[in-house]
Amino acid sequence: MTHHCEKTLKVNVPAEKIWQVLDDYSSIEKFAMTIKSSASVNDISSGLGAKRSCTFNDGSSLVEEIIEYQAGQGYKMDISNHSMPLKSMQSEMKVTAIDENSSEIFMSADFVVKGGPLGWVMGQLLMRAVMKGIFKKVMTGLAYHSVTGELVSEKLPSDEELAKIIIA
């Protein structure tokens, strides 16, 4: 059975700035604090069919391929070649303008956990919550990097720095 989780974050950053960073597909390590490196797997650097291999700080890795793409708005990815206890996973990232100086970032995932009924319970009770927490960190890092150009390493900037960017 498929699980769904999603999270949004409103930020004081124009949607165009967010999109410029999102569309640089093989550079997710610039704003996702859990990703050590990412590299393009094929000759497509942006748009439909772009594929990246992400290596996490713990040494694990996965491959993400854009399977739906809307220029200036977002994309949907198929996740493969991972060691997670998942049969399948698709994720989405997009940005929507609120006005000329602010936007809403959206992330979602649809995934099927291995392990039958026990796996379903694990997905429902544990994995959805963990993913929402990761989504918040990734979107916060994305907003911060979009404004400052600074790399987000293994921890997010201070709450004081983020208070100017995140809309409560």
Side-chain angles (χ1 to χ4, degrees), residues 44-61:
I44 305 169
S45 61
S46 176
L48 192 63
K51 204 174 202 180
R52 65 184 174 205
S53 176
C54 300
T55 302
F56 293 90
N57 295 330
D58 68 3
S60 64
S61 64

Side-chain angles (χ1 to χ4, degrees), residues 6 17 29 63 65 80 91 97 111 123 134 165:
E6 61 184 52
K17 277 191 160 193
E29 77 279 356
V63 173
E65 180 178 4
S80 63
S91 181
F111 59 97
I134 291 169
I165 299 169

Side-chain angles (χ1 to χ4, degrees), residues 31-92:
F31 63 86
M33 58 190 258
T34 59
I35 297 178
K36 181 179 182 178
S37 65
S38 67
S40 184
V41 173
N42 56 20
D43 293 335
I44 305 169
S45 61
S46 176
L48 192 63
K51 204 174 202 180
R52 65 184 174 205
S53 176
C54 300
T55 302
F56 293 90
N57 295 330
D58 68 3
S60 64
S61 64
L62 56 74
V63 173
E64 298 175 315
E65 180 178 4
I66 296 178
I67 57 171
E68 292 177 19
Y69 180 83
Q70 293 178 300
Q73 296 174 23
Y75 43 76
K76 188 173 193 176
M77 302 165 283
D78 187 60
I79 315 298
S80 63
N81 297 2
H82 55 78
S83 59
M84 296 179 284
L86 301 174
K87 287 184 180 180
S88 64
M89 181 173 171
Q90 292 186 341
S91 181
E92 184 175 16

Side-chain angles (χ1 to χ4, degrees), residues 3 86 111 113-114 117-130:
H3 296 277
L86 301 174
F111 59 97
V113 182
K114 293 178 181 176
L118 182 60
W120 183 87
V121 170
M122 184 173 80
Q124 196 68 13
L125 298 179
L126 178 68
M127 294 181 79
R128 287 178 64 224
V130 169

Side-chain angles (χ1 to χ4, degrees), residues 6-23:
E6 61 184 52
K7 187 103 177 123
T8 59
L9 184 69
K10 292 181 181 174
V11 296
N12 288 315
V13 185
E16 298 80 28
K17 277 191 160 193
I18 299 287
W19 179 249
Q20 286 175 349
V21 174
L22 273 181
D23 203 33

